Amino acid sequence: MVRRHVSLKDLAAEIGVSISTVSRALKHHPDISPELTKRIQELAIKMNYSPNPLAMGLLKQQTKMIGVIVPDMVTHFFASVISGIESVAKENGYYIVISSSNESWSKEVESVENLLKTRVEGIIACLSQETRDFAHFEKLIKNEIPLVFFDRVCERLQAPIVTVDGCEAVKNIIHHFNTNGYKRIAYISGPEYLNISRNRKEGYLEGLRECGLKLYPELLVECKLNAEDAARATRQLLHLEEKPDAIFGINDTVAFAAMKEIKKYGLKIPDDIALVGFTDEFHSTVVEPPLTSVTHPTFEMGQQAARLFFKLIENDGPFNHTVKLPAELIVRESSIKQKSSD
Amino acid sequence: MVRRHVSLKDLAAEIGVSISTVSRALKHHPDISPELTKRIQELAIKMNYSPNPLAMGLLKQQTKMIGVIVPDMVTHFFASVISGIESVAKENGYYIVISSSNESWSKEVESVENLLKTRVEGIIACLSQETRDFAHFEKLIKNEIPLVFFDRVCERLQAPIVTVDGCEAVKNIIHHFNTNGYKRIAYISGPEYLNISRNRKEGYLEGLRECGLKLYPELLVECKLNAEDAARATRQLLHLEEKPDAIFGINDTVAFAAMKEIKKYGLKIPDDIALVGFTDEFHSTVVEPPLTSVTHPTFEMGQQAARLFFKLIENDGPFNHTVKLPAELIVRESSIKQKSSD
DNA sequence: AAGGTTTCCGCAAAGCTTTGCGGACTAAAA
DNA sequence: TTTTAGTCCGCAAAGCTTTGCGGAAACCTT
């Protein structure tokens, strides 16, 4: 047995007909007599023939590959989104090529270039936390290469996006805090130029207003989306003369870092301070106390992004569409002072 | 601007020479005059030319793609390994195509077939927990398609493997338990036919012997590698007339499930029962109490697997080699009765 | 000036598939 | 017997790149 795959040529030689005939027989073309068709079909199975995607790609000018750019691929959030993308890609006979920007703008630019070189048919991306310049994506759009954003998106670009309704989710958090007696509510936000930061901040402000709570500017802090800076931001809050009695963090990196930091200060959750995060289900339940959190429909997010992608490919014209997924607030112990005895 | 990529033909037409000349100029072939070479090079940059990988693949009979099969891609363990594979693949100009077996044998078989159809040059795989029949991998080896295993491997196949020294790691755990006064040590293992189960069990038995501890057969339980069955196994241990005073779980899925279950029973870790797992760093520190654990060098594991893969491709003969990575026991609070006050 | 070198470049094939068009052959009709 | 109509199949091009080989032009030598 050798390494080379069998081609139409091999089948043709074996049976003694031309390549074209084999090709036609394999797709039941009426020009080929039923008996010959049958013989060829059987031989193809016996010799384990499968069409060469490279040749098909050259001919049809399509690679059946989608490029996916994520800030990282090891956190559960992105791994799960990728998994969602992969599932619908597979349904449509496509493969994905993943490229990680490592939260860096320059690596993101590089990723776009590299993916283009591999001839992916389009790109599904989540912005790095540094990204403020979108030239690399604008070029994609100008060249009519399908592009879909998810989670961290650029709204002014003509690209379909799928996000989570952060504003609404945060308002729910504020209401939840309020009804549970927390009044000095802090928010650890991300970089202002990220849409998710802005949306959630909007929810924060509106939520406070709706609840008739006062806004303390010193309780709204900003940090980079990594554990170290989140810890720094948390310390900043804990050092305040008048500490917050509740904190909520923009994503799970921030939320868990905050939790560690609060514990390190010897403060009790939720008695001294309540904590809520945007996190995934699993981790929220394994920490102590179990973390009240807004869960992202990550897998579904990936699926939706991929679906938008395929719509884009089909229509192949200018197209922009927004899918906003609901996020659910799941109340656990980290945000309720009195344990209810059941 | 159109979607089509520029080809050598476009460059040739623009300058008015033949395609061959352009091709040669682009790689500084001495046959082409320096001036013409320069002109062509500049035009290539200006028109943003990049060679078509499909055409190259056809010609050179290589796709520069590696297939990666994992039981799942959302747990940190595998996500991190994938990330490691990807990093050295990229260094070598290769891309990876990920396929998830979902811990199912049939999906694993399917993955192998699909990856072969996409013409990956070889496969890096971690066995599903169901896999006991290796025909699909044997076929790969027979056809001389490069194959590398990591973590859960099949030792009797002629394929290079990279694993973690589970036996040694578990022995360390037993010693650690012993010196901290835990004597009834339970082990929640995985399916017996997985090498990781066998290795760690071996470490368990040897460790007990070395420490002069008695082996209680009822403390050695087996479960499937999912949260539900791990919880069941934990309950089985907790229902014993004489409970264990220490438990260690074969991987992080099991360890965290056990932790939840122990808490549910109102038992205190580590006072009532000690717990140690094979887990990754991050999650071990965020749970309460912080979990003593053996950390896997996951990223490095991926890198090593990829390196073996490239060796295999180069030598392109029969080759088998084993890399055994050390695992480190990191002691935290979940396995030490008396908190040391510092 | 004619033959010999260099220098520079193009032809064509191979790698694999699809498909329009035309060709060969058989059988039926005139 | 010749024309017509079917039936069945092959040629060749396109998609893109690399590379051995052959060819043309220019320069040098004698």
Side-chain angles (χ1 to χ4, degrees), chain B residues 18 20-21 24 31-33 36 58-59 61:
Chain B
S18 79
S20 344
T21 302
R24 290 194 174 91
D31 267 11
I32 311 299
S33 68
L36 183 53
L58 252 189
L59 193 68
Q61 292 291 13

Side-chain angles (χ1 to χ4, degrees), chain A residues 13-311:
Chain A
E14 186 76 17
I15 297 230
V17 292
S18 78
I19 293 176
S20 344
T21 301
V22 176
S23 173
R24 289 195 175 91
L26 255 23
K27 35 179 59 77
H28 289 99
H29 193 286
D31 267 11
I32 312 297
S33 69
E35 313 88 76
L36 183 54
T37 297
K38 183 150 173 282
R39 273 177 62 210
I40 293 180
Q41 293 267 1
E42 284 168 356
L43 182 69
I45 290 173
K46 186 177 141 222
M47 292 182 66
N48 197 24
Y49 168 80
S50 74
N52 185 321
L54 293 171
M56 294 291 292
L58 252 190
L59 194 67
K60 299 276 181 64
Q61 293 290 13
Q62 49 177 358
T63 53
K64 301 272 183 188
M65 297 200 299
I66 309 174
V68 177
I69 301 179
V70 286
D72 76 77
M73 55 169 297
V74 298
T75 60
H76 183 270
F77 181 90
F78 293 114
S80 176
V81 172
I82 291 172
S83 186
I85 294 176
E86 205 262 353
S87 77
V88 353
K90 194 178 208 169
E91 281 174 20
N92 292 63
Y94 274 65
Y95 297 89
I96 64 176
V97 179
I98 303 166
S99 190
S100 169
S101 72
N102 266 69
E103 296 283 13
S104 137
W105 174 80
S106 62
K107 288 201 101 182
E108 186 176 281
V109 174
E110 208 181 304
S111 292
V112 171
E113 283 167 5
N114 284 333
L115 289 175
L116 247 32
K117 280 187 190 154
T118 72
R119 303 299 199 262
V120 294
E121 291 182 34
I123 287 178
I124 299 178
C126 174
L127 264 27
S128 95
Q129 66 165 317
E130 287 180 6
T131 304
R132 315 180 67 159
D133 173 346
F134 303 97
H136 48 311
F137 289 121
E138 278 165 1
K139 201 167 76 182
L140 252 38
I141 293 172
K142 201 180 70 185
N143 292 19
E144 288 180 35
I145 293 172
L147 171 66
V148 175
F149 286 115
F150 70 88
D151 197 45
R152 307 189 204 149
V153 309
C154 176
E155 277 138 345
R156 34 168 265 263
L157 256 38
Q158 283 285 340
I161 60 185
V162 28
T163 57
V164 138
D165 192 342
C167 178
E168 197 57 31
V170 174
K171 283 205 285 189
N172 287 338
I173 294 178
I174 304 295
H175 281 280
H176 168 71
F177 275 143
N178 185 47
T179 56
N180 281 275
Y182 297 102
K183 304 297 179 186
R184 285 184 60 85
I185 303 170
Y187 169 36
I188 303 181
S189 177
E192 182 69 14
Y193 48 86
L194 287 181
N195 63 303
I196 54 171
S197 299
R198 287 197 307 273
N199 284 346
R200 292 171 199 181
K201 181 172 160 189
E202 195 182 321
Y204 177 67
L205 300 177
E206 268 192 50
L208 290 179
R209 200 172 331 120
E210 286 178 6
C211 293
L213 292 173
K214 200 172 156 209
L215 165 65
Y216 304 95
E218 70 273 21
L219 295 186
L220 175 48
V221 299
E222 197 173 298
C223 76
K224 289 178 191 159
L225 301 178
N226 62 52
E228 294 70 34
D229 205 46
R232 194 225 74 223
T234 309
R235 280 196 295 276
Q236 183 180 325
L237 287 173
L238 297 180
H239 278 152
L240 249 34
E241 204 142 328
E242 284 202 76
K243 290 186 188 51
D245 56 8
I247 295 182
F248 106 87
I250 188 169
N251 70 6
D252 51 5
T253 306
V254 172
F256 289 125
M259 178 176 258
K260 282 196 201 177
E261 209 59 28
I262 293 171
K263 286 182 181 174
K264 208 183 281 177
Y265 269 66
L267 295 173
K268 293 289 170 214
I269 304 174
D271 297 326
D272 297 324
I273 200 160
L275 182 65
V276 168
F278 272 71
T279 70
D280 77 274
E281 182 105 25
F282 176 77
H283 298 127
S284 304
T285 59
V286 73
V287 295
E288 184 75 23
L291 190 65
T292 295
S293 65
V294 175
T295 59
H296 283 73
T298 46
F299 189 82
E300 194 189 347
M301 196 169 200
Q303 290 186 308
Q304 291 286 2
R307 293 207 187 96
L308 287 180
F309 181 87
F310 284 113
K311 272 195 196 163

Side-chain angles (χ1 to χ4, degrees), chain B residues 93-144:
Chain B
Y94 274 66
Y95 296 89
I96 63 177
V97 180
I98 302 166
S99 190
S100 169
S101 71
N102 266 70
E103 296 284 13
S104 139
W105 173 80
S106 62
K107 288 200 101 181
E108 186 178 278
V109 174
E110 208 180 304
S111 292
V112 171
E113 283 167 5
N114 284 333
L115 288 175
L116 247 34
K117 279 187 191 153
T118 72
R119 301 299 199 264
V120 294
E121 290 182 34
I123 288 179
I124 298 177
C126 173
L127 264 27
S128 95
Q129 67 165 313
E130 286 181 6
T131 304
R132 315 180 67 159
D133 172 346
F134 303 96
H136 48 311
F137 288 120
E138 278 164 1
K139 200 167 76 181
L140 251 39
I141 293 172
K142 202 180 68 184
N143 291 20
E144 289 180 35

Side-chain angles (χ1 to χ4, degrees), chain B residues 9 13 50 70 77 80 92 95 115 134 163 166 171 204 223 225 247 257 259 280 287 307 311 325 341:
Chain B
K9 190 197 271 187
S50 75
V70 286
F77 181 91
S80 176
N92 292 63
Y95 296 89
L115 288 175
F134 303 96
T163 58
K171 282 206 285 190
Y204 178 66
C223 76
L225 301 178
I247 295 181
M259 178 176 260
D280 77 272
V287 296
R307 292 206 188 97
K311 272 195 195 163
L325 264 23
S341 56

Side-chain angles (χ1 to χ4, degrees), chain B residues 167-206:
Chain B
C167 177
E168 196 57 33
V170 175
K171 282 206 285 190
N172 287 338
I173 294 179
I174 304 296
H175 281 279
H176 169 71
F177 276 144
N178 184 47
T179 56
N180 282 274
Y182 297 101
K183 304 297 178 188
R184 285 184 60 84
I185 303 170
Y187 169 36
I188 304 180
S189 177
E192 182 69 13
Y193 47 87
L194 287 182
N195 63 304
I196 53 172
S197 300
R198 287 197 307 273
N199 285 345
R200 292 171 199 182
K201 181 174 162 188
E202 196 182 320
Y204 178 66
L205 299 178
E206 268 192 50

